[in-house]
Amino acid sequence: MEPIFEEENIQKIKEQFDEIQIELNVDQKIADIAWRGYEAVRRQCTLEGSQIPWLACSIFVATWLCPPPQMSSPTSQKPSAVLIIEKCGLSFIDFLEKLQKWVDMANMSKRYLDQVIKMESCFAVASVVFKKFDPIFNELFRISNEAENSPEKPRTRSNKTAQASLNCTASVEDVKRFCWCLFIYLKRSSLGIQDDLIKSHHLMLCCLDLMWSNLTTLKREDLLNKSIVNSWDSTDETAFIEHLCIKYDGVIIDAKQMRIHWFKARIKTLSADNILFGTFDANDFLSSANFDKNINSIQENYDKLITKKGDMDERVFLTKGENFALNGTPCKLSELRKFPTEIFTCLNINSRSFI
């Protein structure tokens, strides 16, 4: 039976919808699709509780149904799931639960439900990996006022032009952002890694290895943890990632194989495609000549990926990671269940057990 909605209640809900549309700067075509979708679903189903989560679901689904070329204004947005969640005051888990129900109530095809489940799995993997990434990065690299404000000068080189191109002016926070953005871009653009925890963990270690080798080549030892420098055989290019695996729960043979046979080739491809500037062998991705172009390029290409698929923006962990709501109430990642070492010995893991 169709639920009874008084005219004044409908008007109030429409006002809420319009406020959300303005707040998110939603394109008018997306807004029209979203409101028509909401009205169609409410006529057939009982939408319990506050209507804001349901409106959020309707807007998000509309972004799937309205590709960028069909948008009416170049200045309006196709809002990301993270932005919708934040502006509507929802938690990630509550949003996904409502979204799965919405897809079902709207009689959408199974591929949309599969997309919601995939999005949940990918984001769950990212949340667990970030929980490891953050303390590992902070242990490997020096985040202090002294390191930030008093970088050691690069050693004198005979070729002044080469010295200028190799000079690195990036701060530790810059390196951290680039490292995480590179990781989530590679993870998101690789079907076999997106929701695979073990491969994602090893990919994260490969990215950390790349940052370390770049800073070492660029003579920015002031940004490195000096107690770790030269504690392994520097003549072996895989020695550092082996060190990372031993200390941070990686599988040495798997991480080395990924670095040698996949990661290195993938980075070289990104360089050839002008998505990354610099070369893997020269270790100059963080140089003053390349860094700004690299961080901007990676973020721009990541934006294209998540906009096309309507995925969660995993950069949210860099700014809100310690407070992002995952389980229905605002929580800190440090309050999540401890990351078990044994998880890396498993080959089949249900992502729902991560969070």
Side-chain angles (χ1 to χ4, degrees):
M1 179 180 296
E2 180 179 348
I4 299 175
F5 278 80
E6 297 180 1
E7 186 64 30
E8 58 186 42
N9 288 336
I10 294 297
Q11 183 61 35
K12 182 178 179 181
I13 294 170
K14 184 60 168 68
E15 290 174 359
Q16 290 178 322
F17 177 85
D18 291 340
E19 289 176 3
I20 295 173
Q21 178 191 353
I22 294 172
E23 187 76 13
L24 294 173
N25 190 25
V26 177
D27 182 84
Q28 190 57 50
K29 284 192 175 182
I30 292 178
D32 291 342
I33 293 172
W35 181 249
R36 289 199 303 270
Y38 172 80
E39 287 195 308
V41 171
R42 74 166 179 83
R43 291 192 188 101
Q44 302 177 48
C45 307
T46 301
L47 301 177
E48 298 178 344
S50 169
Q51 297 302 294
I52 290 180
W54 301 117
L55 293 174
C57 292
S58 184
I59 291 173
F60 182 70
V61 167
T63 66
W64 286 346
L65 304 176
C66 186
Q70 297 181 15
M71 291 170 62
S72 57
S73 171
T75 60
S76 56
Q77 293 185 9
K78 184 176 182 180
S80 68
V82 167
L83 186 60
I84 293 173
I85 288 171
E86 290 182 336
K87 295 299 183 182
C88 294
L90 308 176
S91 74
F92 172 66
I93 295 300
D94 185 45
F95 174 72
L96 283 181
E97 288 178 349
K98 290 285 197 302
L99 186 58
Q100 289 190 34
K101 293 178 181 178
W102 184 267
V103 169
D104 181 55
M105 290 187 295
N107 293 319
M108 301 182 74
S109 65
K110 183 178 180 297
R111 74 182 181 92
Y112 288 107
L113 179 59
D114 291 341
Q115 188 166 338
V116 175
I117 295 172
K118 182 78 169 180
M119 182 171 64
E120 179 183 13
S121 299
C122 292
F123 196 75
V125 168
S127 70
V128 173
V129 173
F130 185 82
K131 186 170 181 279
K132 292 290 284 185
F133 168 81
D134 198 39
I136 292 174
F137 186 95
N138 294 343
E139 184 173 346
L140 293 176
F141 304 96
R142 295 178 59 198
I143 301 182
S144 67
N145 291 332
E146 180 181 357
E148 294 287 278
N149 298 328
S150 303
E152 295 177 4
K153 295 182 180 180
R155 295 178 184 176
T156 303
R157 301 171 66 93
S158 57
N159 189 326
K160 292 184 178 180
T161 302
Q163 178 183 351
S165 66
L166 288 176
N167 184 38
C168 171
T169 58
S171 68
V172 171
E173 287 301 325
D174 292 333
V175 175
K176 185 176 187 178
R177 182 169 188 82
F178 177 59
C179 186
W180 181 252
C181 289
L182 178 63
F183 162 72
I184 59 177
Y185 173 75
L186 291 172
K187 181 174 82 75
R188 183 63 192 84
S189 59
S190 306
L191 293 177
I193 298 179
Q194 293 176 10
D195 58 351
D196 188 304
L197 179 58
I198 298 173
K199 290 180 180 178
S200 293
H201 181 75
H202 290 146
L203 175 58
M204 179 264 288
L205 295 181
C206 287
C207 290
L208 288 169
D209 172 79
L210 183 66
M211 298 302 106
W212 184 277
S213 61
N214 269 247
L215 289 175
T216 301
T217 299
L218 296 169
K219 310 302 180 185
R220 287 302 305 271
E221 288 89 351
D222 59 299
L223 300 185
L224 307 177
N225 184 337
K226 293 183 179 180
S227 66
I228 300 177
V229 175
N230 297 327
S231 60
W232 59 88
D233 181 8
S234 59
T235 61
D236 180 359
E237 68 170 326
T238 63
F240 184 63
I241 200 163
E242 180 175 338
H243 167 80
L244 293 177
C245 288
I246 293 172
K247 192 167 185 180
Y248 302 115
D249 301 315
V251 179
I252 294 175
I253 188 170
D254 291 346
K256 282 188 173 183
Q257 286 182 346
M258 173 176 278
R259 184 190 183 279
I260 295 171
H261 300 296
W262 185 86
F263 182 77
K264 188 174 182 178
R266 187 76 177 95
I267 294 297
K268 288 185 174 182
T269 298
L270 294 181
S271 295
D273 293 340
N274 290 325
I275 293 177
L276 283 179
F277 299 87
T279 65
F280 186 92
D281 296 325
N283 280 324
D284 58 350
F285 295 118
L286 301 182
S287 70
S288 58
N290 295 325
F291 179 75
D292 287 343
K293 291 185 290 185
N294 282 329
I295 185 65
N296 291 334
S297 177
I298 283 294
Q299 295 201 88
E300 179 182 343
N301 282 277
Y302 179 70
D303 281 331
K304 291 178 181 177
L305 280 177
I306 62 173
T307 299
K308 180 180 179 180
K309 296 291 185 180
D311 284 336
M312 300 291 290
D313 187 343
E314 294 166 357
R315 287 171 297 190
V316 68
F317 292 110
L318 288 171
T319 55
K320 300 179 182 294
E322 288 297 318
N323 298 296
F324 194 66
L326 290 174
N327 61 356
T329 56
C331 68
K332 294 184 178 181
L333 288 178
S334 57
E335 295 171 354
L336 296 175
R337 183 161 52 87
K338 281 191 175 182
F339 193 88
T341 302
E342 295 79 5
I343 204 165
F344 291 105
T345 64
C346 302
L347 295 178
N348 297 304
I349 304 173
N350 183 347
S351 65
R352 291 177 182 274
S353 67
F354 300 165
I355 55 179

